[in-house]
């Protein structure tokens, strides 16, 4: 890849086909579709809930007493076991999603998580708690591997980027609920102080079990299984109030068929090896794997799972204060992530990634300096500044704080959180989307397991010096983003995925879709008319 971005020029091919006579919130079927999408988005909340819950439980005396005050490797295992469960499930999740449908995969995963959270709530030993958390991770993989795919494949074209970006953003909703739940149960003197948060973790799965039957199946999946009539009806019902002859629906339908047929022609065998066979797929996987590791190896693991250890290191030891700060941090990040997620199609992915990584370098460096000052001189002011820098850093990592006046003024907060899932999903063609996303999640779990074992040990041994490792790593991230991230805004899902295979492939898919949808002739006529007008103007000027 070159130094600069492959910028998508012009507007998306479907823009002129969208009926803008009334806003989407006045369209009953689009409202219904977005409600179903919201049901899918809360899959991410389950994951966010887990991280924040484990963070909060470590501040609860009752939980520590119940599990013999876990530290070091034991504490690392309690946190990491969920991701170990995820790792075990990753090889199987794509086959369920591709073979039985996106909805079936979500249903299966949600059912497993309900059973697992019940076991976690009833745990009376470390072994039982660890086993339950393993099962939570195993079930979460099936749901989380299919939910964002279904979101991006059923969303209205002009809302696809924002809807998919909200998936990872909703991580914070679960995190907020967990943080304030553990804060609220802190004063309960019995084991219910940690059992209540454990039980609430299963609520999103209960909602999905009850309502997933009403969510539409992916039109892409239906077409891939030869169910083209059902796919067309699904697109028409939600995107055009049931009108199967609507130009937008016809264009979407034909583009989906063209893209899937092209994938079949290029690669009849879409096994795991197909992820790395072609140059385009290798470029995709390089970015996807890098983003997965960047998303967890940017110092955020310290803030997410071991925030109380950081607090203790800087002199904030009161459990109530720790829980309160944890809750406020999550609300702060959630608000910024929502706002930024809505900007992803306006500003562009590449610019957001650049601002995010640069913002992380700035604020993590400031946090390292303050942590160093406190550790060496025990300055209370420096310790409090660390908390401020954590706020700004998490805003930088998950919302990229861009400082024009260092340490004083933050002029812009742009989210990193929405992009890692939405960008990874959109650059993968349908044939390898489920498997490629499974690799993305697999890489995240690997990085999380490493973090959850290494971070508490390294922080205990190295103290503030451990922060320097992340300063250098963040610099590498910024360099990678600059050289390899490609701009994808203003493209349909099929065109975005094909972008990595060259402009000719993108044009081929668009032209085939336009031709079969009956709008190619219209476009050609308009072009001929424009050329005729320009010729007439030229003749007048010459005469």
């Amino acid at each position: 890849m070159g130094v600069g971005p492959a910028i998508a020029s012009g507007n998306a091919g479907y823009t002129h086909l969208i009926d803008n006579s009334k806003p989407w919130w006045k369209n009953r079927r689009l409202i219904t579709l977005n409600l179903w999408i919201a049901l899918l988005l809360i899959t991410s909340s389950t994951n966010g809930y887990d991280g924040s819950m484990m963070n909060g439980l470590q501040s609860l005396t009752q939980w520590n007493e119940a599990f013999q005050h876990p530290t070091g490797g034991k504490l690392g295992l309690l946190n990491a076991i969920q991701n170990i469960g995820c790792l075990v499930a990753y090889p199987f999740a794509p086959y369920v999603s591709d073979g039985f449908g996106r909805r079936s995969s979500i249903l299966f995963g949600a059912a497993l998580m309900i059973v697992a959270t019940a076991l976690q709530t009833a745990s009376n030993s470390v072994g039982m708690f660890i086993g339950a958390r393993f099962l939570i991770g195993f079930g979460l993989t099936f749901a989380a591997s299919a939910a964002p795919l279904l979101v991006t494949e059923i969303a209205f074209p002009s809302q696809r980027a924002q809807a998919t970006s909200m998936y990872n953003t909703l991580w914070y909703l679960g995190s907020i609920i967990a943080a304030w739940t553990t804060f609220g149960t802190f004063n309960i003197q019995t084991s219910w102080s940690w059992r209540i948060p454990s039980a609430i973790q299963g609520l999103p799965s209960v909602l999905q079990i009850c309502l997933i039957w009403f969510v539409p199946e992916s039109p892409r999946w239906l077409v891939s299984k030869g169910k083209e009539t059902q796919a067309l009806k699904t697109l028409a019902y939600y995107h055009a109030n049931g009108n199967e002859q609507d130009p937008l629906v016809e264009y979407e339908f034909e583009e989906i068929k063209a893209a899937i047929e092209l994938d079949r022609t290029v690669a009849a065998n879409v096994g795991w090896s197909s992820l790395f066979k072609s140059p385009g797929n290798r470029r995709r996987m390089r970015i996807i794997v890098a983003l997965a590791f960047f998303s967890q190896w940017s110092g955020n693991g310290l803030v997410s799972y071991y925030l109380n250890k950081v607090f203790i290191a800087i002199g904030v030891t009161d459990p109530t204060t720790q829980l309160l700060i944890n809750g406020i941090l999550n609300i702060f990040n959630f608000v910024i992530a929502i706002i930024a997620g809505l900007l992803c199609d306006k500003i562009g992915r590449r610019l957001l990634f650049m601002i995010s990584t640069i913002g992380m370098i700035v604020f993590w460096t400031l946090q390292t300096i303050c942590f160093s000052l406190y550790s060496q001189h025990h300055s209370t002011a420096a310790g409090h500044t660390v908390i401020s820098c954590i706020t700004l850093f998490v805003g930088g990592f998950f919302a990229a704080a861009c400082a024009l006046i260092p340490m004083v003024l933050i002029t812009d907060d742009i989210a990193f959180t929405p992009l890692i899932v939405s960008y990874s999903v959109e650059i993968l063609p349908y044939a390898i989307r489920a498997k490629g996303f499974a690799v993305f999640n697999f890489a995240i779990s690997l990085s999380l397991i490493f973090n959850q074992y290494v971070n508490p040990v390294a922080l205990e041994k190295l103290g503030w010096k451990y922060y320097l490792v992340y300063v250098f790593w963040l610099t590498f991230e910024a360099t990678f983003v600059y050289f390899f991230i490609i701009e994808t805004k203003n493209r349909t899902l099929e065109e975005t995925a094909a972008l990595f295979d060259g402009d000719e492939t993108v044009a081929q898919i668009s032209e085939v879709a336009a031709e079969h949808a009956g709008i190619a002739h219209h476009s050609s006529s308009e072009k001929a008319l424009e050329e005729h007008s320009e010729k007439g103007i030229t003749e007048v000027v010459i005469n």
Side-chain angles (χ1 to χ4, degrees):
M1 304 296 290
V3 171
I7 299 175
S9 60
N11 292 324
Y14 61 80
T15 305
H16 65 289
L17 302 176
I18 294 177
D19 181 10
N20 293 315
S21 60
K22 63 179 180 179
W24 69 268
W25 59 85
K26 292 185 179 180
N27 186 320
R28 182 175 58 83
R29 291 189 181 178
L30 271 184
I31 291 175
T32 303
L33 176 62
N34 287 331
L35 288 175
W36 297 142
I37 287 175
L39 179 70
L40 302 173
L41 294 177
I42 63 173
T43 305
S44 182
S45 300
T46 303
N47 206 9
Y49 187 98
D50 184 82
S52 187
M53 181 191 74
M54 288 304 298
N55 207 5
L57 293 185
Q58 291 171 53
S59 297
L60 292 177
T61 303
Q62 296 88 335
W63 183 83
N64 280 288
E65 290 177 349
F67 299 106
Q68 294 83 49
H69 297 275
T71 58
K74 187 177 181 180
L75 179 59
L77 179 60
L78 282 167
N79 277 319
I81 191 63
Q82 188 219 27
N83 289 293
I84 294 174
C86 290
L87 282 176
V88 174
Y90 283 136
F92 311 105
Y95 292 102
V96 175
S97 181
D98 284 342
F100 299 97
R102 314 307 197 203
R103 294 193 311 171
S104 297
S105 185
I106 295 169
L107 178 65
F108 178 63
L112 287 178
M113 283 190 285
I114 290 174
V115 173
T117 51
L119 291 173
Q120 180 178 260
T121 304
S123 294
N124 52 22
S125 67
V126 174
M128 187 174 178
F129 195 83
I130 289 175
R133 287 183 52 71
F134 175 89
L135 190 57
I136 288 175
F138 188 84
L140 178 62
T141 295
F142 289 93
S145 294
L149 306 188
L150 187 52
V151 169
T152 202
E153 290 171 0
I154 66 174
F156 193 71
S158 62
Q159 298 175 358
R160 177 186 60 80
Q162 293 89 338
T164 313
S165 294
M166 286 297 106
Y167 179 82
N168 217 41
T169 300
L170 265 288
W171 186 95
Y172 280 119
L173 177 61
S175 188
I176 289 169
I177 294 172
W180 289 102
T181 299
T182 52
F183 181 77
T185 61
F186 177 74
N187 292 321
I188 298 177
Q189 300 304 312
T190 66
S191 63
W192 283 104
S193 62
W194 62 266
R195 294 187 194 275
I196 289 175
S198 295
I200 292 176
Q201 188 172 5
L203 285 182
S205 299
V206 172
L207 286 174
Q208 289 180 330
I209 285 281
C210 296
L211 299 175
I212 194 66
W213 316 99
F214 305 104
V215 177
E217 183 55 272
S218 164
R220 274 87 177 170
W221 182 81
L222 292 171
V223 169
S224 73
K225 297 301 180 183
K227 301 179 180 180
E228 295 183 359
T229 302
Q230 188 177 345
L232 179 60
K233 287 182 178 179
T234 299
L235 287 170
Y237 183 86
Y238 288 104
H239 292 185
N241 289 311
N243 181 10
E244 295 183 9
Q245 281 74 48
D246 182 87
L248 174 63
V249 170
E250 289 184 334
Y251 183 85
E252 285 186 278
F253 182 59
E254 295 299 337
E255 189 175 53
I256 290 169
K257 290 200 300 180
I260 290 178
E261 184 59 35
L262 179 64
D263 290 338
R264 286 172 177 163
T265 302
V266 173
N269 179 16
V270 288
W272 291 99
S273 61
S274 63
L275 296 176
F276 304 97
K277 277 185 177 179
S278 70
N281 284 352
R282 287 194 292 272
R283 286 193 287 268
R284 292 181 179 100
M285 297 313 299
R286 175 174 58 195
I287 292 174
I288 287 172
V289 172
L291 289 180
F293 280 95
F294 291 171
S295 71
Q296 305 303 324
W297 282 7
S298 300
N300 56 306
L302 290 174
V303 178
S304 178
Y305 279 86
Y306 300 103
L307 186 58
N308 71 312
K309 301 294 183 186
V310 176
F311 285 153
I312 292 171
I314 60 175
V316 180
T317 57
D318 179 55
T320 303
T321 304
Q322 291 177 358
L323 290 169
L324 182 61
I325 294 174
N326 185 30
I328 293 173
L329 279 176
N330 280 290
I331 293 175
F332 170 79
N333 293 321
F334 185 49
V335 172
I336 291 179
I338 288 178
I339 295 172
L342 299 176
L343 295 175
C344 69
D345 230 13
K346 296 181 182 295
I347 297 177
R349 280 69 153 163
R350 188 174 190 273
L351 180 58
L352 287 172
F353 275 119
M354 285 303 305
I355 295 176
S356 178
T357 50
I358 293 171
M360 286 188 285
I361 293 171
V362 171
F363 288 110
W364 190 262
T365 300
L366 294 177
Q367 183 178 318
T368 302
I369 293 171
C370 294
F371 195 179
S372 170
L373 290 173
Y374 178 82
S375 299
Q376 296 178 64
H377 306 292
H378 297 287
S379 167
T380 302
H384 291 164
T385 306
V386 172
I387 297 175
S388 299
C389 285
I390 287 174
T391 304
L392 294 177
F393 171 76
V394 177
F397 179 76
F398 293 112
C402 179
L404 295 181
I405 302 178
M407 301 178 65
V408 178
L409 181 64
I410 298 175
T411 59
D412 198 13
D413 290 308
I414 300 177
F416 190 90
T417 296
L419 296 179
I420 59 171
V421 169
S422 61
Y423 191 79
S424 297
V425 168
E426 71 182 4
I427 67 176
L428 290 164
Y430 175 81
I432 61 170
R433 187 168 292 145
K435 290 184 177 66
F437 191 58
V439 171
F440 169 80
N441 285 316
F442 183 84
I444 282 185
S445 292
L446 279 180
S447 60
L448 277 172
I449 291 170
F450 176 86
N451 267 3
Q452 290 160 354
Y453 272 115
V454 171
N455 277 340
V457 177
L459 190 60
E460 183 178 343
K461 298 292 184 183
L462 299 177
W464 70 269
K465 294 178 183 178
Y466 183 48
Y467 280 50
L468 292 173
V469 175
Y470 288 110
V471 173
F472 295 116
W473 178 257
L474 287 168
T475 303
F476 167 74
E477 287 186 14
T479 304
F480 181 94
V481 166
Y482 180 78
F483 281 99
F484 296 114
I485 293 296
I486 295 178
E487 185 54 74
T488 61
K489 69 176 181 177
N490 295 328
R491 297 276 185 176
T492 64
L493 184 58
E494 278 65 37
E495 290 168 357
T496 298
L499 190 61
F500 285 75
D501 298 312
D503 292 336
E504 292 182 1
T505 304
V506 177
Q508 180 182 350
I509 291 175
S510 299
E511 289 171 6
V512 171
E515 181 180 352
H516 285 84
I519 63 174
H521 176 72
H522 174 68
S523 299
S524 300
S525 300
E526 285 184 343
K527 184 177 180 181
L529 182 60
E530 288 176 2
E531 291 176 349
H532 178 73
S533 299
E534 289 175 0
K535 182 179 179 182
I537 292 172
T538 304
E539 291 175 349
V540 170
V541 172
I542 292 174
N543 293 332

